[in-house]
Amino acid sequence: MKKSLRILLASPRGFCAGVARAIEIVDKALERFGPPIYVHHEIVHNPHILDDFRARGVIFVDHPDEVPTGGRMIVSAHGAPPATFERSRTRGLRLVDATCPLVTKVHREVSHYVRRGRRVILIGHRGHAEVIGTSGHAGEEFDLVETAEDARTLPIRPGVDYAYATQTTLSVEDTADVVGVLRERIPEIAEPLRSDICYATTNRQAAVRTIAPRCDGMVIVGGSNSSNSRRLVDAARAAGCPRTWFVSRGADAPLAEFDALKTLGISSGASTPERLVDELVDALERRFAVDVETVSVTTEEEQYKLPSLSALHG
Ligand code: SF4
């Protein structure tokens, strides 16, 4: 007889509006123009999506110079610095921007601060594609802090007006700590009217925090370089579920380790296709007598308009 296992599915989970839009842009570009379509950086941080696109003729590049003159290039959902767009134009590339509108919002804020003569403190992960893109709007000099400790030790320049902005996919709680330190050290610091951490990141973390106390194990499905997926692991552990596994797809889950569990939580990052969660649930159903409950903390209705693809013509 199969052992019983209760599964709590966190909701919302999986694709956000920005990821769905970026994928649709590449899909439509392939349909309309055929391969090759070049994409600056990984369109979204999920290896399975990238493999599917590679098989259909998408070539991922790190720099516009890797694209032949006149080639068709799409900028990923994470955005890119202005220099990438300038270089692409100089090289005569046909360009469409799939930057998530919520990342673009942060770019605009940062540019606004710089125009007002403020020095920007960017809260985010060094080397992450979104941070590289946003820092390109932050003027000649800016500061990057990753942790509350960084914020505590950041040299503050007298007579300088500061502002801060954050990566969209950070831990809500850790970022609140970093911002708390900055506000204490720089009481006049300018800040976004609404948090830069996006709705999708916030909702997915809230859903994981809600189910974590009811679970004795949790699986987060996501790409290894997906910031928002990684933060779900942190959220689960911080909310009381220390046995949290991070897997790229259901087939990678250590099913034998779940034999000791009564209740397993499942969630997935904003760039994770739902089929990878389905694959995990199917594998669990083969091994256990499962009882699945979806726990929803909110519903999401965000949808972002696709840009015109006319710039790819010709
Ligand atoms: S995680 Fe947030 S910022 Fe990133 S693509 Fe999705 S909605 Fe946009």
Side-chain angles (χ1 to χ4, degrees):
M1 208 173 87
K2 287 180 184 172
K3 185 187 171 299
S4 57
L5 180 69
R6 187 164 182 72
I7 296 176
L8 299 184
L9 284 175
S11 175
R13 65 177 178 280
F15 278 7
C16 61
V19 162
R21 174 179 178 268
I23 290 172
E24 200 177 343
I25 291 169
V26 179
D27 259 332
K28 289 212 176 318
L30 277 169
E31 274 167 28
R32 254 166 69 194
F33 306 105
I37 296 289
Y38 294 85
V39 174
H40 181 264
H41 192 68
E42 299 179 353
I43 184 73
V44 299
H45 283 157
N46 188 279
H48 308 285
I49 293 172
L50 303 187
D51 286 347
D52 289 349
F53 275 138
R54 280 191 192 101
R56 294 169 61 196
V58 171
I59 300 170
F60 296 96
V61 297
D62 293 325
H63 196 281
D65 286 0
E66 294 170 54
V67 181
T69 304
R72 297 184 168 98
M73 189 175 91
I74 295 169
V75 171
S76 84
H78 314 95
T84 299
F85 290 87
E86 283 151 26
R87 182 66 187 158
S88 303
R89 277 182 215 109
T90 312
R91 299 231 27 258
L93 304 188
R94 288 172 276 187
L95 193 69
V96 161
D97 185 5
T99 305
C100 175
L102 299 184
V103 174
T104 303
K105 167 206 163 248
V106 179
H107 291 177
R108 292 206 180 108
E109 266 165 26
V110 167
S111 301
H112 170 80
Y113 294 142
V114 172
R115 280 198 304 276
R116 296 286 161 109
R118 291 188 179 268
R119 183 180 175 96
V120 175
I121 300 173
L122 194 49
I123 306 169
H125 298 298
R126 192 178 302 279
H128 187 278
E130 184 188 321
V131 171
I132 293 170
T134 304
S135 62
H137 295 264
E140 301 268 299
E141 285 191 19
F142 63 93
D143 299 299
L144 176 64
V145 299
E146 297 193 68
T147 62
E149 186 51 25
D150 290 348
R152 259 187 286 279
T153 54
L154 181 74
I156 304 297
R157 298 164 186 232
V160 170
D161 293 328
Y162 280 92
Y164 78 81
T166 83
Q167 191 178 332
T168 56
T169 51
L170 299 179
S171 154
V172 172
E173 288 172 345
D174 292 351
T175 306
D177 290 345
V178 177
V179 169
V181 173
L182 292 177
R183 281 187 190 141
E184 209 177 290
R185 296 192 65 204
I186 318 169
E188 305 302 323
I189 193 165
E191 52 188 9
L193 287 176
R194 281 184 63 187
S195 169
D196 291 332
I197 298 178
C198 76
Y199 81 93
T201 300
T202 306
N203 292 345
R204 280 151 192 68
Q205 288 176 19
V208 161
R209 279 199 304 272
T210 300
I211 63 169
R214 293 174 59 193
C215 300
D216 47 8
M218 177 107 65
V219 178
I220 305 297
V221 187
S224 62
N225 56 349
S226 163
S227 169
N228 81 85
S229 304
R230 290 268 178 203
R231 300 294 78 75
L232 294 180
V233 176
D234 299 341
R237 289 180 179 150
C241 189
R243 301 198 73 195
T244 297
W245 292 268
F246 186 65
V247 300
S248 163
R249 64 184 313 155
D252 298 341
L255 298 182
E257 295 198 41
F258 303 161
D259 287 347
L261 305 179
K262 287 195 177 69
T263 305
L264 180 71
I266 298 177
S267 187
S268 57
S271 48
T272 307
E274 186 63 8
R275 68 183 153 86
L276 301 178
V277 173
D278 292 342
E279 181 183 286
L280 173 60
V281 175
D282 288 348
L284 290 166
E285 277 174 343
R286 286 194 291 274
R287 187 177 180 99
F288 301 97
V290 302
D291 166 20
V292 181
E293 180 191 349
T294 296
V295 180
S296 177
V297 296
T298 187
T299 51
E300 294 179 342
E301 283 164 13
E302 282 76 0
Q303 281 185 339
Y304 300 133
K305 238 178 93 193
L306 292 195
S308 161
L309 298 190
S310 58
L312 298 179
H313 271 292

